[in-house]
Amino acid sequence: MHEMALTQSIVEIVEESAAQHTVTRVRRITLTVGELADVVEESLRFCFEAMTPGTIMEGAELVWQDVEAKSHCAMCGAEFRPDPLDFTCPECQNPFTEMVTGKEFAIASIEADDEDGPPEKTNETADKAKTHGRDEGV
Amino acid sequence: MSEIRVEREVLEKNDIAAEEVRGRFARVGTYVIDLMASPGSGKTSFILATAGALKDRYKIGVIEGDIASDVDTENIRAHGTDAVQINTGGMCHLDSTMIDRAMDKLPADRYDLVIIENVGNLVCPAKFDLGQHIKVVILSIPEGDDKPLKYPGIFTESSVLILNKIDMLGATNFDEQRLRGHVAKLNPAMEIFPISCVTGDGVEAWASWLAGQIDRSAGAAPGGDS
């Protein structure tokens, strides 16, 4: 159950990114998740719902982009999708292979409403708002 | 609505803090082990056996991670080794910022070897870099030889496997060759040391391998061998 700690990190990173871009509301967060990253989707979604009320990302949609695992064999040059319990090269049986993708767990992007609410800040960044006023309930 | 590219690893803060901890250890030439295992696999007995074999040669400190209590810390101190407790208050693993704070509480200015006893758990600790030199996982014989199939992550992230409680081999159907077969498919470079903290079998082989690692690391450190 390290999903609680992972969610805490997601909240911090999203808040930092939101602060850098003066957004008022985060609507969608896209995660890239390697198939061997050992992140339990259900558990992470549960933690996210529990931890985000009152934050800028309350109610945001979590988009889960799976990344297939891929390994490389330096002996024969094969590229293959590793068996989760056997990383041996299927072509030449070399056991020392390198996993290239499949363990990542990252925030790819966020979609957010720009600052267009009641003017509570006095800086000028508010003119950047109102590019896309698309308001979909998702 | 606008899209903002973020492209940041979720655990990047832990990784950055882990690099700082690694630098802190490197500056004083401390070799660090992150010790991971299930509850009841013999982590504390293993630390005591390791410290017993090496404490005449090296200054050793222990960071004890537990959800609650300090019984292990008291036990280790009673055997004459410096130890400091981290209580995670329910968290299933240690992270690198906890290690930085714990180091401030260890009494000596420097150690040759610091062993971090992670929270008893075969899943979460594998994912968190603590700034260690090596991750060591203990598998005790009664847990069974199929654990790499159930918890592959910890066996791929660790570089050493301690097979503990080999004195109990005869009382179980644990098959060491089968275990080695599972490990070889996930992590063929893994060093495996079968030991018993009760009889002392295998402790010497592990301790002398570890001594080699500590000496090599101290030789490579900026102020090493001075």
Side-chain angles (χ1 to χ4, degrees):
Chain A
M1 253 302 271
H2 56 296
E3 279 73 11
M4 192 74 99
L6 297 177
T7 308
Q8 184 62 45
S9 298
I10 290 171
V11 170
E12 285 171 17
I13 291 172
V14 170
E15 279 178 342
E16 281 172 20
S17 299
Q20 283 163 10
H21 292 83
T22 61
V23 300
T24 51
R25 188 91 187 180
V26 176
R27 297 289 181 188
R28 186 174 294 152
I29 301 167
T30 301
L31 303 171
T32 45
V33 192
E35 63 174 312
L36 299 179
D38 290 338
V39 183
V40 182
E41 180 172 353
E42 230 182 352
S43 170
L44 191 100
R45 288 186 185 282
F46 177 81
C47 292
F48 186 81
E49 275 186 31
M51 291 170 78
T52 50
T55 70
I56 198 168
M57 69 211 80
E58 177 173 359
E61 179 194 5
L62 281 184
V63 180
W64 201 268
Q65 281 184 347
D66 291 309
V67 179
E68 193 171 282
K70 196 185 292 171
S71 287
H72 174 76
C73 174
M75 295 274 280
C76 73
E79 297 256 337
F80 60 97
R81 184 181 180 188
D83 177 329
L85 295 177
D86 187 354
F87 300 163
T88 309
C89 173
E91 302 294 329
C92 74
Q93 310 308 317
N94 167 30
F96 295 90
T97 58
E98 188 201 347
M99 199 176 295
V100 187
T101 61
K103 289 189 174 176
E104 55 276 85
F105 181 45
I107 300 176
S109 62
I110 58 177
E111 279 180 54
D113 292 348
D114 298 306
E115 191 169 316
D116 57 0
E120 49 194 67
K121 293 183 182 171
T122 49
N123 55 25
E124 298 90 45
T125 42
D127 350 336
K128 271 177 60 186
K130 301 195 178 129
T131 33
H132 301 96
R134 209 150 53 101
D135 211 356
E136 59 205 333
V138 210
Chain B
M1 222 158 57
S2 60
E3 185 183 16
I4 299 166
R5 302 303 299 169
V6 181
E7 308 285 1
R8 286 166 67 180
E9 277 290 322
V10 170
L11 286 181
E12 67 165 26
K13 281 190 182 170
N14 181 70
D15 293 344
I16 291 166
E19 282 311 312
E20 284 168 14
V21 174
R22 188 167 280 119
R24 174 176 182 170
F25 285 130
R27 279 191 293 279
V28 292
T30 302
Y31 190 79
V32 186
I33 293 175
D34 176 11
L35 180 63
M36 307 175 294
S38 340
S41 57
K43 288 187 292 298
T44 308
S45 303
F46 171 75
I47 289 172
L48 291 174
T50 304
L54 294 176
K55 69 181 174 194
D56 294 339
R57 282 177 68 185
Y58 301 111
K59 179 73 179 161
I60 300 172
V62 175
I63 296 174
E64 270 291 331
D66 285 296
I67 286 178
S69 97
D70 60 355
V71 289
D72 289 347
T73 301
E74 289 307 321
N75 188 6
I76 289 165
R77 283 186 190 140
H79 284 79
T81 298
D82 289 350
V84 62
Q85 183 73 41
I86 301 176
N87 281 136
T88 64
M91 195 72 118
C92 52
H93 60 272
L94 299 177
D95 69 38
S96 48
T97 59
M98 298 174 186
I99 304 306
D100 204 34
R101 290 196 297 270
M103 283 305 296
D104 294 333
K105 292 185 189 152
L106 274 172
D109 290 338
R110 78 165 290 282
Y111 292 88
D112 298 304
L113 170 66
V114 166
I115 303 175
I116 303 166
E117 181 178 333
N118 218 313
V119 179
N121 180 338
L122 286 181
V123 184
C124 314
K127 296 291 160 191
F128 292 81
D129 185 356
L130 302 183
Q132 74 286 332
H133 289 78
I134 51 169
K135 282 184 177 287
V136 174
V137 58
I138 301 178
L139 174 63
S140 65
I141 299 303
E143 293 171 70
D145 54 40
D146 58 356
K147 286 297 162 289
L149 304 179
K150 295 181 176 177
Y151 304 94
I154 203 159
F155 290 89
T156 52
E157 300 298 332
S158 303
S159 42
V160 174
L161 168 60
I162 302 296
L163 266 187
N164 194 19
K165 308 189 189 180
I166 54 167
D167 52 296
M168 298 180 80
L169 265 171
T172 69
N173 60 359
F174 191 101
D175 183 335
E176 187 177 332
Q177 286 318 308
R178 196 156 56 205
L179 179 272
R180 285 178 182 268
H182 298 324
V183 170
K185 289 174 181 169
L186 290 168
N187 187 353
M190 192 169 222
E191 299 276 353
I192 302 178
F193 295 97
I195 73 165
S196 166
C197 298
V198 175
T199 65
D201 282 347
V203 171
E204 182 51 45
W206 149 250
S208 66
W209 180 88
L210 178 57
Q213 301 294 310
I214 296 169
D215 293 344
R216 198 168 319 149
S217 166
D225 281 348
S226 58

